[in-house]
Amino acid sequence: MDSDNFILQIQASYNQFTKAEKKVADFVIKNQSKVLYMSITDLADACKVGDTSVYRFCRTMKLQGYQEFKMRMSLSQGASGPQNKQAVLSSPGDLDSFGIMAEKVMELHLGAIKETYMLLSRDNFDKVLDMFDSAKRVYFFGIGDSLLTAEEARNKFLRVTNKVTCITDPHMQAMAASMTNADDFIIIISYSGATKDNIHVAKVAKEAGAKIACITHFKKSPLTVYSDAILLCGSDEGPLEGGSMKAKMSQLYLIDLLYQEFYERNFKMCKLNNEATSKSVVEKLF
């Protein structure tokens, strides 16, 4: 399928769509740039249809799923659309001055952190902290770039508590989730909240009785259905920006905030453990 005329392809396929799929097509045609930054649930709600209707629309267009649909939309709008700030950074004019480039990157990262701060819900944050505090085991899960954030979270908390772990293989994540119970707490990191492996793990863990929280950008997504608490990370990420640094900065901000609050709540224990773990690596340093 030629990405340059993707909207024309949608219009040409219009008579193949069901009534619900036509609602999706109508919205997409009228809101081409807006759709790039919507989750599958956001689009379904806007069209007043179910998530499955959006997915069927994608399949009718001979696409693998919603993410490929957004990628095609992005390519059809000239590599990412006018709202894609990351695209601005890669334009030739920005290379004229290193100082300008450095300032723009700084502003993007600061903007992502500030947006995350503005999205913070004290009730949700306290709920996550309470579940973390009371759990006997805490798992950090992620896929792809979000796995790097999950590993960083494990590394951070391992300095002060031995109940944290991060499993990197998706199959092993599912197996571990099936062995959890009410004493376990799983934090799933997923920008889109629509990655199949993450959703599968959340479903398995929920059936096993574990408590679940997610760090995600979208308040409503297939992943949030299984979550007991949600922490929203800022930064709009276009389809061509998967794993953007500014999105990671917003996720890491939330991880660090959780760490600092956990440390404050359990100061005596965390201080002792932090001293012990620090001493354990002293001999490895010059």
Side-chain angles (χ1 to χ4, degrees):
M1 185 184 297
D2 187 353
S3 62
D4 291 337
N5 61 358
F6 185 58
I7 296 299
L8 293 178
Q9 291 284 344
I10 293 175
Q11 293 170 332
S13 304
Y14 196 80
N15 63 347
Q16 300 176 33
F17 298 143
T18 64
K19 186 177 180 180
E21 290 171 3
K22 285 179 179 178
K23 290 182 180 180
V24 178
D26 291 339
F27 185 89
V28 168
I29 293 169
K30 294 177 182 176
N31 301 273
Q32 296 176 34
S33 296
K34 185 177 180 180
V35 168
L36 294 179
Y37 302 98
M38 299 175 74
S39 70
I40 187 171
T41 306
D42 288 338
L43 180 55
D45 287 349
C47 300
K48 294 182 173 57
V49 299
D51 290 6
T52 53
S53 293
V54 177
Y55 180 73
R56 283 198 296 266
F57 164 79
C58 297
R59 297 296 291 169
T60 301
M61 291 301 299
K62 295 181 171 54
L63 304 173
Q64 291 298 311
Y66 186 65
Q67 293 306 311
E68 185 180 356
F69 158 73
K70 291 212 297 183
M71 179 71 74
R72 294 284 190 177
M73 286 293 296
S74 183
L75 291 171
S76 73
Q77 292 183 47
S80 57
Q83 298 179 31
N84 189 335
K85 295 179 181 178
Q86 192 68 26
V88 175
L89 290 179
S90 61
S91 62
D94 291 327
L95 301 179
D96 294 340
S97 169
F98 175 76
I100 292 175
M101 175 68 78
E103 184 177 357
K104 286 188 175 183
V105 172
M106 177 190 69
E107 288 175 352
L108 283 175
H109 291 176
L110 289 176
I113 293 173
K114 287 179 180 178
E115 186 178 338
T116 305
Y117 171 78
M118 296 298 292
L119 290 170
L120 268 177
S121 163
R122 184 57 189 263
D123 289 341
N124 262 327
F125 186 85
D126 286 344
K127 192 173 182 180
V128 172
L129 200 57
D130 289 342
M131 289 188 289
F132 193 111
D133 218 5
S134 61
K136 289 185 179 179
R137 291 181 296 184
V138 178
Y139 297 88
F140 290 101
F141 288 155
I143 299 295
D145 284 286
S146 292
L147 175 59
L148 300 178
T149 305
E151 289 182 300
E152 182 59 35
R154 184 270 319 276
N155 295 348
K156 185 77 173 175
F157 278 96
L158 197 57
R159 298 172 181 273
V160 296
T161 177
N162 64 355
K163 67 180 181 181
V164 296
T165 188
C166 175
I167 300 173
T168 58
D169 183 86
H171 290 180
M172 297 299 106
Q173 289 180 10
M175 292 170 65
S178 72
M179 298 293 287
T180 57
N181 55 47
D183 292 326
D184 296 319
F185 180 42
I186 297 178
I187 298 179
I188 301 177
I189 303 166
S190 172
Y191 178 88
S192 69
T195 304
K196 290 181 180 179
D197 285 321
N198 287 330
I199 297 164
H200 177 67
V201 164
K203 182 176 183 293
V204 171
K206 178 63 72 175
E207 291 172 349
K211 298 177 180 67
I212 301 170
C214 67
I215 294 177
T216 185
H217 181 65
F218 299 103
K219 191 172 184 178
K220 294 180 68 177
S221 70
L223 177 60
T224 59
V225 171
Y226 299 100
S227 301
D228 298 296
I230 305 165
L231 293 180
L232 297 176
C233 60
S235 175
D236 283 336
E237 184 177 276
L240 299 181
E241 294 182 79
S244 68
M245 287 302 295
K246 63 183 189 291
K248 283 194 183 69
M249 295 295 286
S250 64
Q251 294 171 348
L252 289 171
Y253 168 72
L254 290 173
I255 294 298
D256 199 20
L257 188 56
L258 280 172
Y259 173 84
Q260 298 297 338
E261 287 291 312
F262 178 78
Y263 199 115
E264 191 72 20
R265 277 196 184 189
N266 305 275
F267 183 78
K268 186 176 292 186
M269 177 198 74
C270 289
K271 186 173 184 295
L272 288 172
N273 289 343
N274 197 18
E275 289 173 357
T277 54
S278 296
K279 288 178 181 178
S280 72
V281 295
V282 166
E283 294 182 0
K284 297 181 179 294
L285 304 173
F286 283 106

